[in-house]
Amino acid sequence: GVEFGFMSTTTDKAVAMNYARGKGAGTVLEIVTGAIDRGADLQRLSQYPHEAEICFAPLTNLQVLGTRVEGAVLIVEVRVNVNLTALTVEEVVAKRKKLVSDMARSLKVEVSQLVAGFACTSGLGDLVSERAGKLLDAVGKFEAGEYNNDVFLKDKIAQALEAKMNTEAVLLLASSQSSSALLEEGHGLRIVQACRALGLVLQDGNLVKDDANTTISHELRNKFRALASQQDWADELSKLKVPLKSLRTAVRQEAMQT
């Protein structure tokens, strides 16, 4: 059978027999243990160290080997198989952190595969992989208990996925022939944001020149600068569309009234 709770035992047979010899007949389990299937020695922690207590974890399996009788006590010989799959309290608390850390490691592999799949002769590939890798490492660096907050967990998962998507966007810049083609396909804003999120943009608005002995090509820096300026112009134009639309509506209403 299986013991669902903690199982308290003793290495001193006299102690066990003393408990068993109460009123009427008693039963004692005589347990055979091994190097792995054994309990924890609580003698040095116990309030009653003379009882030489050994405690087995929940879900310990008991296999009956035989029985015999000693006086009024039935001795049942059993072998134990300790549950080795049960999580510790610390492991239970850290389950969500492990989920995020495992996901981040998997995404780092995917990022490396993405970089390898692009022809990044500009020197950008290794730099993107390094920056994205640092961001992915960072999402798993917090205390385990913090990941049990749903909002915090959602934020870290989103950051990890964002790092991969930013890598894809930046590599798209490296593989594209021109900035105008990227704008026409609707990738401009995404690429500019991705470069900034990965720390590839200097304070002057240009793409990084050197980092970790990696040189970004002059051609690629010019392409990004053109893309960023065109995207900024497009953003400003889109901001003007709302007041212009409101102005046209007001003029139309005034014309109808006159």
Side-chain angles (χ1 to χ4, degrees):
V2 176
E3 175 57 57
F4 290 98
F6 288 97
M7 185 169 65
S8 178
T9 65
T10 177
T11 57
D12 190 337
K13 183 177 179 179
V15 173
M17 296 297 285
N18 184 55
Y19 274 102
R21 292 192 186 105
K23 296 181 180 179
T27 302
V28 169
L29 301 182
E30 190 174 81
I31 300 172
V32 178
T33 63
I36 296 177
D37 295 318
R38 60 181 181 178
D41 188 349
L42 302 183
Q43 186 171 20
R44 65 188 182 88
L45 304 174
S46 177
Q47 188 176 355
Y48 308 101
H50 63 280
E51 292 186 350
E53 182 177 2
I54 302 292
C55 187
F56 286 85
L59 303 180
T60 296
N61 181 268
L62 303 173
Q63 179 184 356
V64 177
L65 301 177
T67 60
R68 68 179 189 274
V69 177
E70 293 185 10
V73 178
L74 173 65
I75 307 294
V76 181
E77 300 170 6
V78 298
R79 177 185 289 117
V80 296
N81 292 303
V82 176
N83 172 33
L84 300 178
T85 61
L87 300 178
T88 64
V89 173
E90 291 77 12
E91 288 172 330
V92 171
V93 172
K95 284 179 72 175
R96 282 187 167 189
K97 178 177 180 177
K98 185 178 184 302
L99 170 71
V100 174
S101 299
D102 289 347
M103 182 186 71
R105 280 192 292 271
S106 177
L107 288 174
K108 284 184 71 174
V109 174
E110 292 182 31
V111 165
S112 299
Q113 292 173 341
L114 283 171
V115 171
F118 276 82
C120 292
T121 56
S122 61
L124 187 63
D126 292 339
L127 182 55
V128 170
S129 183
E130 176 201 340
R131 295 292 177 87
K134 288 181 179 179
L135 291 174
L136 288 168
D137 287 337
V139 300
K141 296 292 187 182
F142 298 87
E143 293 294 328
E146 294 190 59
Y147 295 88
N148 293 323
N149 180 299
D150 291 345
V151 175
F152 185 88
L153 175 67
K154 181 180 178 181
D155 180 57
K156 295 308 164 190
I157 291 176
Q159 288 179 18
L161 294 173
E162 188 74 12
K164 179 192 172 183
M165 290 188 290
N166 286 337
T167 300
E168 293 172 331
V170 175
L171 292 177
L172 191 61
L173 170 67
S175 63
S176 176
Q177 296 298 320
S178 67
S179 58
S180 58
L182 292 171
L183 280 173
E184 290 174 3
E185 295 169 3
H187 300 304
L189 178 60
R190 183 76 190 96
I191 291 174
V192 173
Q193 290 176 335
C195 288
R196 289 169 178 164
L198 291 176
L200 302 177
V201 182
L202 300 174
Q203 290 184 351
D204 62 4
N206 288 318
L207 211 60
V208 291
K209 295 180 181 179
D210 300 287
D211 189 279
N213 299 321
T214 300
T215 302
I216 305 301
S217 71
H218 183 68
E219 178 186 356
L220 183 58
R221 295 182 68 240
N222 285 341
K223 191 194 302 183
F224 173 80
R225 186 161 51 246
L227 182 64
S229 62
Q230 291 177 66
Q231 188 59 51
D232 289 342
W233 181 84
D235 291 343
E236 291 300 321
L237 182 61
S238 65
K239 292 176 183 178
L240 290 173
K241 287 182 179 179
V242 175
L244 285 174
K245 182 178 179 181
S246 300
L247 179 60
R248 285 197 299 266
T249 302
V251 170
R252 190 178 303 114
Q253 290 176 347
E254 184 174 345
M256 291 174 62
Q257 290 176 357
T258 56

